[in-house]
Amino acid sequence: MSEKKSKSGLVVVRKEGHVAWLIFNRPEKSNAFLMVMWEEAGDALEELGKDPNIRCLVIAGNGRAFLAGHDVTEIREHSRGIADGSVTKEQLFGWQQTAQRVTRLIRSVPFPVIAAVQGWCVGGGTEICIGCDLVVASMNAQFGCPEVTLSITMTNGTTKMLAQKVGIARAREIAYLGEWWTAADAYRIGLVNRLVPVGKEREEAAKMADVIARRAPISVRFHKEMIDRAAEAPLSEVLMFESEYYLKASFSKDSIEGTNAWFEDREPNFKGV
């Protein structure tokens, strides 16, 4: 196992075999986001995406909360800056792009990303979950998209991906009302994949990640790409690119290994080629 802290110490990357962990490390503030955390999370994701040994990533938060939204001190500073003219539209756009970079990388890294959620998961925290491939939540998790209570709007692709996950009617309800929802609510509407007892979210996420890491990396990567592409494409186009991916996967060395392992009644040793 290896572990590396970001320059600020607020983002930790841990690698355990083929599984990586990106951990937000500001527990004394319930991992409330500072802009530097968005920047360093983006840097970490970009580096992990280039590591051919990684087959799955888990995002988690140290302490009692996953991510308790944007830090209130920074929110106040930004709001005052907008009011007095010291913060420009260009600056605000730049900050937003820093946050959106995280979403872009979560969707573009060549492996699934799992969120392991406990406690508060607010604003940007919920948006990260919505961007992840899978979400494991503790029974004490509390989700919120409170933008309408602050007269701001969702970002990070949330208006698109939330509707894809929970349906457009439910997405509108979440966006318009700005109410809190429990882990059970999130599981019921399809945002959360697995609901676990308090304190078991990382354990369950690790189990899922370990299973994914044992599967054929080419197949897993292709399925992530295909599902994202299929969300944008007509059926005729989906059928065409499904055939293209199928042929690429079938002619891989791992496909031969998988077939041989099945006939020999053993675990396959996939190499990702």
Side-chain angles (χ1 to χ4, degrees):
M1 184 187 79
S2 66
E3 184 172 294
K4 178 182 177 182
K5 287 188 177 182
S6 64
K7 186 176 180 180
S8 72
L10 300 177
V11 175
V12 178
V13 173
R14 181 182 303 150
K15 296 180 181 179
E16 302 174 0
H18 293 301
V19 177
W21 291 74
L22 191 160
I23 304 169
F24 293 103
N25 187 38
R26 200 183 180 215
E28 72 282 0
K29 296 291 184 179
S30 298
N31 296 315
F33 260 121
L34 297 168
M35 286 310 305
V36 67
M37 295 168 70
W38 285 109
E39 294 170 6
E40 292 179 342
D43 292 343
L45 283 162
E46 189 166 341
E47 184 175 336
L48 288 167
K50 297 174 182 176
D51 187 340
N53 191 54
I54 300 303
R55 299 183 181 180
C56 191
L57 169 67
V58 181
I59 297 180
N62 281 336
R64 62 182 183 177
F66 178 68
L67 288 163
H70 199 150
D71 183 83
V72 293
T73 302
E74 278 199 348
I75 291 176
R76 187 178 296 112
E77 289 175 359
H78 292 175
S79 180
R80 288 173 177 170
I82 291 169
D84 65 23
S86 61
V87 170
T88 66
K89 287 184 179 180
E90 290 75 19
Q91 285 176 299
L92 195 58
F93 179 74
W95 294 333
Q96 186 191 40
Q97 292 304 295
T98 297
Q100 289 186 348
R101 176 179 173 229
V102 171
T103 298
R104 290 189 176 97
L105 287 164
I106 287 173
R107 296 311 322 140
S108 65
V109 291
F111 41 75
V113 182
I114 304 172
V117 182
Q118 83 284 1
W120 295 110
C121 181
V122 186
T126 297
E127 291 175 350
I128 283 179
C129 287
I130 291 167
C132 287
D133 296 279
L134 301 167
V135 179
V136 177
S138 163
M139 284 295 296
N140 73 347
Q142 293 281 331
F143 296 84
C145 292
E147 287 82 1
V148 292
T149 68
L150 299 169
S151 193
I152 56 176
T153 61
M154 293 175 169
T155 183
N156 294 323
T158 302
T159 51
K160 178 180 180 63
M161 291 187 291
L162 179 60
Q164 288 175 334
K165 286 198 170 187
V166 305
I168 194 165
R170 188 71 70 182
R172 284 177 169 144
E173 178 184 345
I174 291 168
Y176 299 163
L177 299 184
E179 295 178 335
W180 298 101
W181 14 304
T182 65
D185 291 332
Y187 178 73
R188 176 174 52 83
I189 65 178
L191 174 62
V192 168
N193 297 89
R194 296 193 180 179
L195 193 59
V196 297
V198 175
K200 297 293 184 180
E201 62 284 342
R202 291 200 190 187
E203 179 181 329
E204 184 65 23
K207 288 179 182 178
M208 295 177 75
D210 286 341
V211 171
I212 291 169
R214 293 198 303 272
R215 303 308 187 213
I218 290 174
S219 296
V220 174
R221 182 175 77 249
F222 282 0
H223 281 138
K224 178 171 180 173
E225 293 176 9
M226 291 162 67
I227 291 169
D228 280 359
R229 286 183 65 182
E232 309 289 341
L235 179 59
S236 58
E237 185 179 331
V238 173
L239 293 170
M240 287 296 295
F241 70 65
E242 280 184 343
S243 295
E244 293 169 4
Y245 280 106
Y246 176 76
L247 290 172
K248 290 178 184 177
S250 296
F251 279 85
S252 67
K253 292 181 181 179
D254 274 354
S255 179
I256 297 170
E257 165 63 13
T259 302
N260 289 341
W262 189 79
F263 280 109
E264 295 166 10
D265 194 26
R266 61 174 174 81
E267 284 293 315
N269 182 21
F270 293 123
K271 302 293 187 181
V273 293

